[in-house]
Amino acid sequence: MPGIKQEYGWDNSMGISLYDKIRRDMKSAMMNKDTDVRDTMRLIMGAFPSLTVPITLESGKKTTRVKKPEEITDDDLLNIIRKFVKSEKTMLEFKKKTSSDYLELLNSYLPKMASFEEIEKWISDNVDLSEFNSPMQAMGIVMKHFGKLADGNQVKDVLKNIGRS
């Protein structure tokens, strides 16, 4: 997979659900004989059965059932992809590498993460650090604002950096 083609990947502005985009990319990868992309899409789709809905049976017993395709949300799929990203990053650390085509492909389906500068600017515009004994105590507020769009380690670095200045 020398460099990921632009046709793969997803973001909210495309007007298509992540579920549909993954299925479309799978089909496209099969037609173009992009085996790495095809295998990655199969891996993601293979995790669909892990998406379940809690249900209560007539007997009162609680159980779960696999979500139907129309019940699968973008957030469900983003969480699956994030798990694969986390596992790939762990493998790359072990191999002493920083990135792989597989990781780049997975990341192309995730929302763009907030940059160091964006986090720093939001903190300076919205957080009064004088209310805290240490800038690190603002971590919760910052993470609550950015949610999954900010890496906790990066937020920690920004707050440490602010603490030094």
Side-chain angles (χ1 to χ4, degrees), residues 35-134:
T35 54
D36 293 334
V37 174
R38 180 202 64 203
D39 293 347
T40 301
M41 295 304 110
R42 281 185 177 160
L43 191 66
I44 294 168
M45 292 168 76
F48 289 179
S50 69
L51 300 172
T52 58
V53 177
I55 56 171
T56 306
L57 302 175
E58 285 178 23
S59 64
K61 184 179 175 204
K62 295 196 181 299
T63 186
T64 59
R65 67 165 173 77
V66 175
K67 283 188 173 185
K68 296 176 185 140
E70 62 274 7
E71 295 173 317
I72 296 174
T73 66
D74 291 346
D75 279 342
D76 290 335
L77 297 178
L78 291 172
N79 288 334
I80 287 173
I81 295 169
R82 283 187 185 103
K83 284 180 190 164
F84 288 133
V85 165
K86 187 175 182 180
S87 130
E88 178 66 2
K89 283 182 176 175
T90 304
M91 285 304 301
L92 289 170
E93 271 178 42
F94 183 70
K95 295 176 181 175
K96 301 205 180 334
K97 292 184 177 177
T98 53
S99 189
S100 68
D101 289 342
Y102 172 62
L103 181 64
E104 286 179 33
L105 178 63
L106 289 172
N107 279 329
S108 73
Y109 289 89
L110 293 175
K112 186 179 157 293
M113 298 294 277
S115 70
F116 189 91
E117 293 75 26
E118 289 170 321
I119 296 168
E120 200 171 41
K121 179 169 178 13
W122 187 84
I123 292 170
S124 68
D125 292 349
N126 298 289
V127 180
D128 181 5
L129 292 173
S130 66
E131 293 177 17
F132 302 98
N133 295 334
S134 145

Side-chain angles (χ1 to χ4, degrees), residues 135-149:
M136 293 309 292
Q137 291 177 326
M139 181 87 177
I141 295 168
V142 178
M143 288 307 295
K144 188 173 182 182
H145 170 75
F146 284 102
K148 293 180 179 174
L149 296 179

Side-chain angles (χ1 to χ4, degrees), residues 3-14:
I4 299 159
K5 295 186 179 82
Q6 287 304 56
E7 67 188 277
Y8 301 116
W10 176 84
D11 73 60
N12 258 338
S13 66
M14 291 180 160

